[in-house]
């Protein structure tokens, strides 16, 4: 059973379009992290959100943590081919120590 | 760059043989993790360590053992490899509740 559900599983868009990836759970997380992974490499941390309602921006990427700290979203504005990759969300629960629970991932393809 | 290396990067082995994967870190982090990544399952925790000789099981630990005799090295052993253990294995360290990953080892069990 996946504690963190990501949607959609796959997204194919044209360069310049916007996209949103969702990460949902019935559990409350103390923090939530977003990673991007390219083929043949390990996941790379993009951002960590810790406060309910928090919004963080990283250039064209906007990350939001839900008020109840159960869900998060990643929005990319004017996507570029370099945004292509596998996006993973991961939640941490303090009672579980430093362990993370990962979502299944969203594969994003941005076509030129 | 969290200074994490994994070896080997690729390995093909036969069913029933033992296999050891190595994770090495250069920054003295206390927490280290082993994950496997499979299509449709995302990243799943196999084992983790919270210090030298201190390890614990993750959600998919059956068939795997680990050892950590030095802070910098975390070894993952498949005592008798099976085809279901064909996967990509990632090591990670934790710093301030954030995890940083190594480049991965692609293991194929034939």
């Amino acid at each position: 059973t996946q504690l963190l559900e990501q949607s959609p599983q796959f997204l194919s868009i044209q360069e310049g379009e916007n996209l949103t990836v969702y990460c949902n759970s019935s559990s409350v997380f103390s923090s939530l992290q977003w990673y991007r992974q390219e083929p043949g490499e390990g996941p790379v941390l993009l951002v960590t959100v810790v406060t309910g309602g928090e919004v963080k921006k990283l250039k064209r990427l906007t990350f939001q943590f839900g008020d109840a700290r159960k869900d998060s979203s990643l929005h990319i504005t004017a996507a570029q081919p370099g945004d292509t990759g596998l996006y993973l969300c991961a939640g941490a629960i303090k009672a579980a120590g430093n362990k993370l629970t990962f979502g299944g991932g969203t594969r994003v393809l941005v076509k030129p | 760059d969290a200074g994490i290396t994994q070896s080997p990067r690729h390995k093909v082995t036969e069913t029933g043989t033992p296999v050891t994967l190595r994770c090495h870190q250069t920054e003295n982090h206390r927490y280290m993790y082993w994950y496997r990544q499979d299509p449709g399952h995302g990243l799943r925790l196999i084992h983790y360590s919270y210090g030298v000789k201190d390890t614990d099981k993750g959600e998919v630990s059956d068939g795997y053992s680990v050892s950590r005799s030095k802070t910098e090295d975390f070894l993952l052993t498949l005592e008798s490899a099976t085809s279901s253990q064909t996967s990509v294995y990632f090591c990670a360290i934790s710093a301030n509740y954030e995890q940083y990953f190594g480049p991965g080892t692609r293991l194929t069990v034939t």
Side-chain angles (χ1 to χ4, degrees):
Chain A
T1 303
Q2 204 71 268
L3 278 182
L4 269 172
E5 297 288 340
Q6 279 188 245
S7 61
Q9 291 185 5
F10 179 70
L11 203 51
S12 178
I13 60 171
Q14 293 294 136
E15 181 176 1
E17 294 182 340
N18 302 332
L19 69 96
T20 302
V21 177
Y22 299 94
C23 180
N24 295 294
S25 176
S26 57
S27 301
V28 175
F29 294 103
S30 54
S31 66
L32 195 136
Q33 300 170 19
W34 284 93
Y35 293 82
R36 180 168 66 216
Q37 184 179 19
E38 299 190 19
E41 299 181 6
V44 175
L45 180 66
L46 295 174
V47 78
T48 300
V49 285
V50 296
T51 305
E54 182 177 4
V55 177
K56 278 192 175 178
K57 292 193 175 184
L58 189 67
K59 297 184 180 177
R60 294 176 294 99
L61 278 62
T62 301
F63 304 86
Q64 187 161 6
F65 202 13
D67 291 340
R69 290 185 288 129
K70 293 182 178 181
D71 55 84
S72 181
S73 64
L74 157 61
H75 182 79
I76 301 179
T77 303
Q80 298 176 0
D83 295 324
T84 292
L86 178 68
Y87 289 82
L88 296 158
C89 65
I93 299 175
K94 274 189 179 173
N98 285 358
K99 292 188 288 184
L100 292 178
T101 297
F102 280 84
T106 296
R107 194 163 296 280
V108 172
L109 173 63
V110 183
K111 293 180 280 189
Chain B
D1 183 1
I4 305 168
T5 56
Q6 293 184 232
S7 58
R9 293 293 315 277
H10 301 271
K11 186 168 182 68
V12 180
T13 192
E14 293 184 349
T15 299
T17 59
V19 177
T20 295
L21 308 183
R22 180 181 183 241
C23 177
H24 179 78
Q25 58 141 331
T26 59
E27 298 187 3
N28 215 35
H29 293 288
R30 179 182 172 195
Y31 286 86
M32 298 183 76
Y33 308 81
W34 276 107
Y35 293 88
R36 60 178 290 174
Q37 187 174 35
D38 305 288
H41 290 280
L43 282 157
R44 292 182 291 174
L45 182 65
I46 305 171
H47 281 280
Y48 67 102
S49 170
Y50 44 96
V52 172
K53 297 186 180 178
D54 291 324
T55 65
D56 206 349
K57 297 179 180 180
E59 63 179 298
V60 290
S61 59
D62 287 349
Y64 302 95
S65 63
V66 289
S67 66
R68 192 164 178 206
S69 57
K70 298 185 291 185
T71 299
E72 58 265 36
D73 289 325
F74 192 30
L75 304 180
L76 177 70
T77 297
L78 291 65
E79 301 290 348
S80 177
T82 66
S83 58
S84 65
Q85 293 176 311
T86 291
S87 187
V88 182
Y89 291 86
F90 288 100
C91 172
I93 60 92
S94 178
N96 298 322
Y97 291 93
E98 296 178 339
Q99 291 192 15
Y100 299 87
F101 288 81
T105 295
R106 182 172 294 277
L107 176 67
T108 302
V109 184
T110 61

